[in-house]
Amino acid sequence: MADLFKILTLREKKAVVEKGGGDAAIEKQVAMGKLPARERILSLLDKNSFHEYDMFVKHDGRDFGMDKKDFPGDGVVTGTGTIFGAPVCIYAQDFTVAGGSLGLQHARKITKIMDHALKMKCPIIGINDSGGARIQEGVSALAGYGEIFYRNTIASGVIPQISLILGPCAGGAVYSPALTDFVFVVENISKMFITGPNVIKTVLGEDISMEDLGGARVHAEITGNAHFYAVSEKECFEQVKRLVQFIPWNNSERAKKIKSKEPKTKLNIEDIVPSDPKQPYDVRDVIKCIVDDSDFLEIQELWAANIVIGFGRMAGETVGFVANQPMVLAGVLDCDSADKAARFIRFCDAFNIPIITLEDMPGYLPGVDQEHAGVIRHGAKVLYAYSEATVSKITVILRKAYGGGYIAMNSRHLGADFMFAWPSAEIAVMGPEGAANIIFRKEIMEAEDEDKMRQEKVKEYIEKFANPYVAASKGFIDSVIEPKETRSLILHALQLSVLKEENRPEKKHGIPPF
């Protein structure tokens, strides 16, 4: 019979650790709309699936009175569990214990569970809520951050890495989430910045609040550092659960297949895209007419909204969508939207997710600001990502495909496996008005009625070039299709490309235009 005294002692020790920083600290956390670390984990994982490790790890700090302080669990909870029955590794920083500050042993708990995730080929989920490096430990704390960043990099493209910012995340701590695949933020709770308001005021004399500097909406709308925005922790956890249903557990698998469903939207795909090429529409309506159950999970919805990215399913299989959004800046590519698309394309390629591109855009955004912001370098990221990707790549040109934009949005020339175009597609070097003004400049200037002549020449240009048939005659477009055929042809293309293989030159790695 087991020693009852020792069992009771174990239970007492576990109870102390599970209390974290104590009742007062927990109450303060809850008052801010924040759950304690373990409750966050339990809210995210399947019921009764969490197994905690390294509960009794202690810090090894000896300076500045640290030898007299006991931090339960050293301020971080680590372990494994399941989400919808599939295994995940997880850690959550405990702000009630020394402000969740990171010391060497704290970091080693995190790197240990990260190593475990990589070895077991399952996702790693990190819940960040920390005051930053534990200054009493000096360089040891910095070493801990470095070891985490290294593992983020090694795991990249092998297992999905998900970060939840559920409190402060400042200084060096911000780089781990930035190295992960998806970052979740919550209104009034998440704070991310390299240097806080006090430092900025001291150095630059500028007054700014934590929320305005690095709050959730800032990173969801302005910086693009966040992929999902929620108004509560509960909503955030539901977003994470929804995401993991779409993605595979590692790079050697495909996402779990579910039963196929027909689109349920009441929208008619033939009525969505206006015949007038200048009239906007919501490309997400087109996506909902194509995907199973009209279920589309948009990513980075609030940032660089001139391009739409996200996951859907076709025939029960996960696919990634990259689509120009005519409702915002006419769907042009600019610095931010190029970054947004390129990173998503590379995630899909790394995790065996076919990429479907819906194109309707007049090209890259012109202007001094964009040129000086490096639109050449940023725009090249899209070209690189599509060219590099070896998963199935399918493009449908809905309407406009002008200039460099036509090439960039997964054209045949960048390795698209299937190229379809609606009859409304306009494929040309530039828009008809601009092209006519250049090509027929002399005729227009010499005409008695310049406006009438310009309209005639625009019409002539449209008839000759701004249609899909010229590109189709050269084999650049595989098929000109009716809008109602879009779903069935994409399904057929996906079915054909299940066993696709593509050989590339042997190399250590490419050098993308970062």
Side-chain angles (χ1 to χ4, degrees), residues 151-177:
R151 283 163 175 81
N152 286 136
T153 305
I154 297 303
S156 182
V158 182
I159 56 173
Q161 300 182 80
I162 296 170
S163 295
L164 285 66
I165 312 301
L166 300 185
C169 183
V174 298
Y175 291 114
S176 178

Side-chain angles (χ1 to χ4, degrees), residues 436 440 443-444 453-461:
F440 306 111
E443 291 96 320
I444 293 171
M453 178 62 73
R454 182 179 290 105
Q455 292 307 313
E456 288 178 3
K457 293 303 181 182
V458 167
K459 185 179 178 181
E460 180 182 340
Y461 184 85

Side-chain angles (χ1 to χ4, degrees), residues 102-104 107-108 111 138-149 151:
L102 184 139
L104 186 59
R108 284 181 173 166
T111 56
V139 72
S140 293
L142 301 180
Y145 277 126
E147 292 183 10
I148 292 171
F149 304 157
R151 283 163 175 81

